[in-house]
Amino acid sequence: MVLPVTIGRELSVAAAQAAVKADKPIGLLLQKDPKVEKPGPADLNGVGTVAQILRYITTPDGANHIVSQGEARCRVVEFLDGYPYLVARVERIAAPDEAGNETEARLVQLKERAVQALELLPETPQEMVQAVQSYTSAGQLADMVAGFMDVKPAEKQAVLETLAVEPRVDRVLGMLAHRLGEWAEDDPHLVELGLERRRDRDRVEDCVHRDAGERRALVQRDAQLLVGLEELRIDVGERLRPVLGR
C-alpha cells in the first residue's frame, strides 16, 4: 500500500533523509501517546511497518513529506544506540495465507461495506471506488481501509497487530459498521439517499441490454439523487463527519 506521510520532528526528518541517501527502508511505528513531543523507544508501539520511501518532498513552506510503500509488518527486536535518530533491529512478519472460502467471502463483504461508506461521502472520486473493488487480498484491503479511516491511533494499531486475516477483516468490518451507524444516527435520510444512489448506479451499470429510453430514465433518476445528496450535505454542514479519511 502506498501512503503519503508528513514528517515534522527533526529526528524523523533526519532519519528519512538518511534512509533516502542510503536507499534503505524505514520503520513506521505509531506513538502510544501522540502528545509526547520527543518520543523515545518506550513511547512507540512494538509492531509497525517496514516501508520503502518512493519519493521525498519538501514543500515551499518548509514541510517535509514522504511517499512510502509498505512492504511488510515488522516487530521491533531492539533499539540501537549511537545514532542521531532512532534506529532499531526488526524482524519482518510474514503475510499469512489467504486461501479459503471464508476469506474470500470476507473480501466480498469488506468491498461492499467500504464502497457503501464511500458512496456516502460527497464528491467521492470514482477511481477510489474502483481501487477498492480491484483488491484481491482481503488482508491488504483491510489494512488500506483502516489506514484511511478517521479512528483513534489505538484502533489502527489493533488492526496492525491482528496478524490473522479473518479476524483482521472482522475488526475492520466492525469499525466500518460503527461509523456507518453513527452517520445513520446523525441523519438517516442522508444514508438512505446514499444507498439509493448506489442501487441506482448499479442498475444503470446493469442495463446494457435494456432499451435506450429506460436507460435515460435511470440516469436521470441517478442525477436527481446526486443533487438531493449534495443539497442535504450542505444543509447538515458541520454535523457530518467523514467515514474514511479526512
Side-chain angles (χ1 to χ4, degrees), residues 16 34 45 51 65 103 151 161-162 168 176 215 231:
N45 287 288
H65 309 269
T103 302
V151 296
E161 294 183 6
T162 305
R168 191 193 318 166
L176 277 171
R215 287 201 299 271
E231 290 177 348

Side-chain angles (χ1 to χ4, degrees), residues 11 13 69 92 139 178 225-226 231 241:
L11 292 182
V13 171
Q69 181 168 21
R92 297 190 181 219
H178 180 69
L225 285 169
L226 284 171
E231 290 177 348
R241 291 173 295 173

Side-chain angles (χ1 to χ4, degrees), residues 43-246:
D43 300 308
L44 303 174
N45 287 288
V47 175
T49 304
V50 176
Q52 196 70 37
I53 297 178
L54 303 180
R55 189 176 180 186
Y56 190 103
I57 304 169
T58 301
T59 55
D61 61 358
N64 295 273
H65 309 269
I66 60 173
V67 179
S68 61
Q69 181 168 21
E71 296 181 345
R73 281 170 165 75
C74 67
R75 183 178 290 106
V76 175
V77 176
E78 62 175 337
F79 284 91
L80 306 178
D81 298 325
Y83 294 88
Y85 40 79
L86 291 176
V87 176
R89 180 176 291 110
V90 303
E91 60 176 2
R92 297 190 181 219
I93 301 173
D97 183 24
E98 294 196 22
N101 294 334
E102 288 294 327
T103 302
E104 181 65 27
R106 280 175 168 81
L107 173 60
V108 173
Q109 185 179 5
L110 183 56
K111 283 183 180 181
E112 291 178 349
R113 189 60 60 84
V115 169
Q116 179 185 353
L118 288 172
E119 290 289 351
L120 299 180
L121 291 174
E123 301 177 1
T124 299
Q126 184 61 26
E127 292 78 8
M128 192 167 187
V129 175
Q130 293 172 348
V132 169
Q133 294 173 333
S134 69
Y135 269 81
T136 58
S137 165
Q140 290 180 8
L141 180 57
D143 292 340
M144 188 276 285
V145 172
F148 281 103
M149 285 189 70
D150 184 19
V151 296
K152 295 179 181 179
E155 293 181 81
K156 294 188 178 187
Q157 184 65 31
V159 173
L160 190 64
E161 294 183 6
T162 305
L163 304 183
V165 174
E166 292 179 11
R168 191 193 318 166
V169 173
D170 289 343
R171 183 181 291 273
V172 175
L173 283 170
M175 291 161 58
L176 277 171
H178 180 69
R179 280 291 179 266
L180 289 169
E182 286 184 337
W183 212 347
E185 290 179 2
D186 285 341
D187 201 306
H189 186 47
L190 178 68
V191 174
E192 183 57 30
L193 272 176
L195 295 177
E196 282 192 51
R197 173 187 170 193
R198 181 186 178 196
R199 288 194 293 265
D200 284 304
R201 188 199 65 185
D202 292 340
R203 289 174 61 200
V204 171
E205 291 175 352
D206 292 338
C207 72
V208 176
H209 301 294
R210 299 179 184 178
D211 61 74
E214 186 177 356
R215 287 201 299 271
R216 284 195 297 270
L218 287 172
V219 172
Q220 183 178 9
R221 175 174 169 75
D222 192 55
Q224 291 172 345
L225 285 169
L226 284 171
V227 172
L229 180 62
E230 178 63 12
E231 290 177 348
L232 186 57
R233 182 185 69 83
I234 294 173
D235 183 59
V236 174
E238 293 296 328
R239 293 194 299 110
L240 297 181
R241 291 173 295 173
V243 178
L244 296 174
R246 295 184 181 273

